[in-house]
Amino acid sequence: MILVTGGAGFIGSNILAALEEKGAGKLVVCDRLRSGSKWQNIAKRELSDIVHPEQIFDFLQANAKHMEVVIHMGAISATTETDADKILANNFSLSLALWKWCALHNVRFIYASSAATYGDGNQGFDDDASMEHLAKLRPLNAYGWSKHLFDRRVARKVWAGSRKPPQWAGLKFFNVYGPNEYHKGNQQSVVAQVYPHAEKDAAYQLFKSHNPKYPDGGQLRDFIWVGDVVDVVMWLIENPKVSGLFNVGTGKARSFLDLANAVYRAVGREPQIKFRDTPIEIRDKYQYFTQAKMERLHRAGYAKPFTSLEDGVEMYVKRYLAAADSYR
């Protein structure tokens, strides 16, 4: 049995699809579906059960003998969320409780961290899991801080020799795009936001640069196709001796303008890009550059190449966004 928290979310539902394709056995989702379209992310899956987060530990206790892996993708991921108590309860306290349960019951634990833990990037983007290195990072928002707080707690436990899951892996996801993100509203990837404009041959507005080092649209991110993210998770499941904190990006930063242009070209249109001011409420916390250092994952044995930006965008547009059924 494999439990995926946040399994009806973007990355979680893509992991579920891959697990099902691999014939992984009994799959269980822990998530809140609420009243939107999120349920469609898992509508094609054959699931053993769907558990509400408030019942997760009762479920785990009842199925402890059958649980093989907990893949913890559940979190409040909106960088604009301001309720720090709510974020802490979901992103730190629950994660810590799951870690302790997995350690006690000898269950493998793979969890989502985030590139938001790196803050403005002044300390670089090195997935060094030492307490000394982690202590230098300064996340820019409560979401990034909550993920960072858990990374630091894990580092402390590992250093102290405390009981830990037989395999553990924290994954610092960079800018992920792909199918099943539609419920995220304005937190969807820029690919999904540009597509309806490109499809109608209309202009799309990117943020202006408010940093003289970068031109408008020249802000850089490490954009990664969700299929590559899933491949990393599947590789970890297949390699239970690998543990650690790992970046999950391509290792190659690209501009938002590159990304938007790729969407237009994927639908056979000439790019039409305009620029608007970055909202004042996020302007002073805006990252202008992210790029994952990928050496640790490669040294651990992961050898599969990452999808190029143009190829990933084309797959997303043609297989999903432009299809009659856009869900994986």
Side-chain angles (χ1 to χ4, degrees):
M1 184 177 287
I2 297 177
L3 172 69
V4 183
T5 75
F10 169 35
I11 296 175
S13 64
N14 277 276
I15 292 171
L16 276 174
L19 288 168
E20 187 179 81
E21 289 166 9
K22 292 274 189 180
K26 292 182 177 179
L27 303 177
V28 180
V29 167
C30 177
D31 212 332
R32 294 180 174 89
L33 299 180
R34 298 194 172 95
S35 59
S37 61
K38 194 174 175 182
W39 65 272
Q40 293 186 69
N41 288 344
I42 54 173
K44 299 175 185 177
R45 307 282 75 81
E46 182 180 344
L47 300 173
S48 179
D49 209 342
I50 301 175
V51 182
H52 193 276
E54 292 178 3
Q55 277 79 53
I56 186 171
F57 289 103
D58 289 339
F59 178 86
L60 284 170
Q61 207 59 34
N63 293 277
K65 293 181 180 179
H66 307 292
M67 196 61 58
E68 180 185 357
V69 188
V70 171
I71 303 174
H72 182 37
M73 298 291 115
I76 294 175
S77 59
T79 56
T80 53
E81 175 60 62
T82 57
D83 188 338
D85 292 320
K86 181 179 177 182
I87 290 172
L88 198 63
N90 280 271
N91 297 3
F92 176 72
S93 299
L94 177 59
S95 300
L96 187 57
L98 284 170
W99 170 281
K100 290 178 178 177
W101 188 92
C102 287
L104 182 63
H105 292 87
N106 209 38
V107 173
R108 297 154 67 190
F109 185 61
I110 298 170
Y111 74 92
S113 183
S114 172
T117 58
Y118 291 116
D120 62 10
N122 283 337
Q123 297 296 323
F125 299 93
D126 187 348
D127 48 358
D128 181 346
S130 69
M131 292 186 298
E132 294 77 15
H133 178 77
L134 292 173
K136 298 175 183 177
L137 303 183
R138 295 291 182 268
L140 296 174
N141 51 55
Y143 163 70
W145 169 68
S146 68
K147 290 292 189 180
H148 183 53
L149 189 64
F150 184 63
D151 289 343
R152 294 185 72 179
R153 190 74 190 115
V154 167
R156 173 69 64 177
K157 285 179 170 293
V158 171
W159 175 83
S162 302
R163 189 167 184 172
K164 59 183 182 289
Q167 179 191 27
W168 66 272
L171 303 179
K172 292 198 171 197
F173 298 132
F174 278 67
N175 286 66
V176 188
Y177 63 93
N180 295 12
E181 61 172 328
Y182 320 118
H183 64 287
K184 293 168 66 73
N186 62 9
Q187 294 291 311
Q188 292 180 78
S189 71
V190 174
V191 180
Q193 296 187 49
V194 171
Y195 172 74
H197 298 265
E199 195 270 335
K200 295 175 184 175
D201 201 18
Y204 181 79
Q205 291 186 330
L206 292 172
F207 288 156
K208 289 181 180 177
S209 171
H210 300 273
N211 183 325
K213 295 180 181 178
Y214 297 86
D216 291 341
Q219 303 94 321
L220 297 166
R221 294 285 185 278
D222 194 331
F223 299 106
I224 181 167
W225 167 239
V226 72
D228 291 339
V229 169
V230 170
D231 285 345
V232 171
V233 173
M234 299 301 289
W235 178 80
L236 284 164
I237 292 172
E238 293 164 3
N239 291 271
K241 293 183 179 180
V242 176
S243 292
L245 183 64
F246 301 106
N247 282 336
V248 182
T250 65
K252 183 175 177 58
R254 299 290 299 276
S255 72
F256 279 102
L257 189 58
D258 288 339
L259 188 76
N261 287 344
V263 179
Y264 278 89
R265 292 185 179 121
V267 298
R269 311 278 192 190
E270 282 299 311
Q272 297 186 54
I273 307 299
K274 296 182 179 180
F275 299 97
R276 62 188 176 95
D277 287 336
T278 303
I280 193 71
E281 61 268 22
I282 65 170
R283 195 178 298 178
D284 63 338
K285 298 178 181 179
Y286 190 81
Q287 289 176 305
Y288 278 82
F289 174 82
T290 67
Q291 180 172 279
K293 286 190 68 174
M294 296 303 299
E295 288 81 2
R296 278 189 174 78
L297 186 64
H298 293 317
R299 284 201 302 269
Y302 189 79
K304 191 169 182 179
F306 292 100
T307 306
S308 72
L309 177 67
E310 287 74 16
D311 287 347
V313 168
E314 185 173 14
M315 280 194 289
Y316 188 12
V317 168
K318 293 184 176 179
R319 294 185 189 178
Y320 298 99
L321 294 174
D325 180 357
S326 60
Y327 290 88
R328 180 173 179 180

